[in-house]
Amino acid sequence: MARKLFLLSFHRSCFMNRILMLLLFILFCLFPDTLSGREVRVGIYQNPPKVFLDESKNPQGIFIDIMNDIARREHWDVKYIFNTWDSNLVLLKQGKLDIVLDVSYLEERENFLTFNSVPVIESWLQVFTTRTTSLNAIHDLNNKKIAVLRGSIQENYLKEELRPWFHLDFTVYSYPDYPSSIKALKASEVDLIVATRFFYFTLSPNDDIIPSPIVFRPSNVYFAFPKTPDNPLIPLIDRHISRMKNSTRSVYYTSLHTWLNSPESFRIPQYIVLLLLVIGVGLFFFIGFTILLKRQVRQKTSTLQTKNLALEEAYKQEKIHEAEIEKSLAEKELLLKEVHHRVKNNLNVISSLLRIQAKRIHNPDEAQIAFQNSSERVMIMSLVHNLLYTTGDLQEINCKTFVETLTAYLIKTYSADHIKIVQNVESLFLNIDQAIPCGLILSELLTNALKHAFSGRKEKNSEINISCYRVNTHHVRLCISDNGIGIEDVDTFRQKGTLGYHLIHLLTEQLHGSMSITGDKGVHVKIEFPLENF
């Protein structure tokens, strides 16, 4: 009897379940779009790769891919609202959000929110620190400053569970997001960060932050909803997550593969490895041989280039030497012509001097004096040539140097150290054809002054002034004066004219110049002639 009652009750229960399922099916068929097209407000925060905003401020991540697939199938209009983690929980509690993505289960949270039944992904807490900090066990957290996400499960776990269980003394600092905690760790404001295992995927190589072997509190991660009864979103999301997990080709596994970068393992066959090794060794030797061959070619090429440059340089030097020889020959030929010309001119001058001197010789005493005077004049010509050869310039002579040398020579010759010589001579240059006549003129005038101007006088105020300077660009003036006895009658002196005076007059004409002479308070002679090399 009891068995019949049990069977009767069981059949009634099954019948009622079937009726209920049928009614639900009819309602779903009659109102298929009850949730279709509705706006769903979804709270997100920065926690890659699960959920985050990319550089273009577009929502991305594992939870975003899952949420978008569900919204597409259910025809929802999803509105993502970005905020900090703790602010999202407050907005969800106030009913201003329909869903918050990426929420770990915590018993205390069930007081103000609801989780869906099917977990999205599993996670755990892990300690992250810099390369300079060594962490190997939980007790290494003692006396450390720890950064956590504000309002996160790790903040509650560290304070309420880990600290009393292991009797640890550490300080917890909460930050609104992970970038802030990373910045604090780099600035040494904290010693480490406790975050979910997915925190590792947010790091870049430049952060220099590494995961430690310390892990604890495994947990599941869900969708979170406001604390309201019979929320129609929850069963729909559970159904879609179950569907995704049961299909290896679903968005769920594609997203995990994309964001967690877990490529399929592929093992290269051993024979391919061996073949690649042989090819690599052969390529190594081939490259080495090629490099060695190129080096030898470079060395040979460099040697040939060096020899070629040496030959080119030798050829250039030979050409330069030939040009110098040709130039030297031309100069010597020109020099021979110049020497011939100068010797001829000098001999003509000497011949003319001797001829003029011979006309004025009347007795043997005058002959001796004439030969002595001619010898001095030839010496003056020799002095000009000597200055030319010693200065290295065979074309021109410095007038100042010539006057100084000639004056010193004549003072020494006539032992006239008691006579003061005042010189005011510019450093102008005369060519050889002008230097010899000018030198003879200066010699005649200076000799006459030394021999006759101070006859019978030994006063210390005896003075001869010599000046030579440019009157203008084209003319030179030579002046010689003394403070001696002078000339009583200049006109008579010009008419009678001594040999020296006639010689000076002829040499002045040879220079195409003019001469003036005065005899008051000494003799004053001024000769002006044009420069031939201006």
Side-chain angles (χ1 to χ4, degrees), residues 27-47:
L27 288 173
F28 182 77
C29 291
L30 292 175
F31 306 99
D33 297 327
T34 302
L35 296 177
S36 177
R38 69 165 288 179
E39 181 182 84
V40 179
R41 298 164 300 174
V42 180
I44 60 174
Y45 68 107
Q46 198 73 6
N47 189 16

Side-chain angles (χ1 to χ4, degrees), residues 89 92-94 105-115 156 225-228:
L89 294 183
L92 186 67
K93 185 177 180 180
Q94 294 173 352
Y105 175 78
L106 190 63
E107 188 175 351
E108 290 82 355
R109 290 176 179 169
E110 286 193 317
N111 296 327
F112 61 89
L113 55 84
T114 303
F115 296 94
N156 182 271
F225 305 86
K227 191 71 175 179
T228 56

Side-chain angles (χ1 to χ4, degrees), residues 65 247-260:
D65 293 341
S247 175
T248 57
R249 297 183 178 180
S250 66
V251 170
Y252 179 82
Y253 292 104
T254 302
S255 182
L256 291 179
H257 177 79
T258 300
W259 296 110
L260 299 183

Side-chain angles (χ1 to χ4, degrees), residues 330-342:
E331 289 177 351
K332 288 179 179 179
E333 184 178 354
L334 180 62
L335 182 60
L336 286 174
K337 291 179 179 179
E338 182 68 19
V339 169
H340 174 72
H341 172 70
R342 290 182 183 179

Side-chain angles (χ1 to χ4, degrees), residues 322-434:
E322 290 180 0
E324 290 177 349
I325 292 174
E326 291 178 359
K327 182 180 178 181
S328 178
L329 290 174
E331 289 177 351
K332 288 179 179 179
E333 184 178 354
L334 180 62
L335 182 60
L336 286 174
K337 291 179 179 179
E338 182 68 19
V339 169
H340 174 72
H341 172 70
R342 290 182 183 179
V343 170
K344 180 182 177 182
N345 287 347
N346 291 333
L347 289 175
N348 287 334
V349 171
I350 293 171
S351 176
S352 298
L353 289 174
L354 292 175
R355 189 165 51 251
I356 295 172
Q357 192 79 43
K359 291 179 179 180
R360 294 180 175 267
I361 296 174
H362 300 95
N363 55 61
D365 293 333
E366 290 180 355
Q368 184 177 359
I369 295 172
F371 277 115
Q372 183 178 355
N373 291 337
S374 297
S375 175
E376 289 177 358
R377 292 177 183 119
V378 173
M379 193 65 189
I380 298 302
M381 296 172 62
S382 173
L383 184 63
V384 172
H385 286 279
N386 184 56
L387 285 174
L388 285 174
Y389 298 140
T390 54
T391 56
D393 190 347
L394 301 179
Q395 300 296 327
E396 295 180 330
I397 187 170
N398 190 313
C399 186
K400 183 175 182 179
T401 304
F402 174 61
V403 171
E404 290 174 352
T405 305
L406 178 60
T407 302
Y409 169 74
L410 292 176
I411 288 175
K412 183 179 179 181
T413 301
Y414 292 102
S415 300
D417 294 333
H418 62 284
I419 300 174
K420 182 180 179 181
I421 307 296
V422 179
Q423 300 182 38
N424 182 22
V425 182
E426 289 185 8
S427 292
L428 53 90
F429 289 87
L430 302 174
N431 61 34
I432 188 66
D433 293 330
Q434 288 188 308

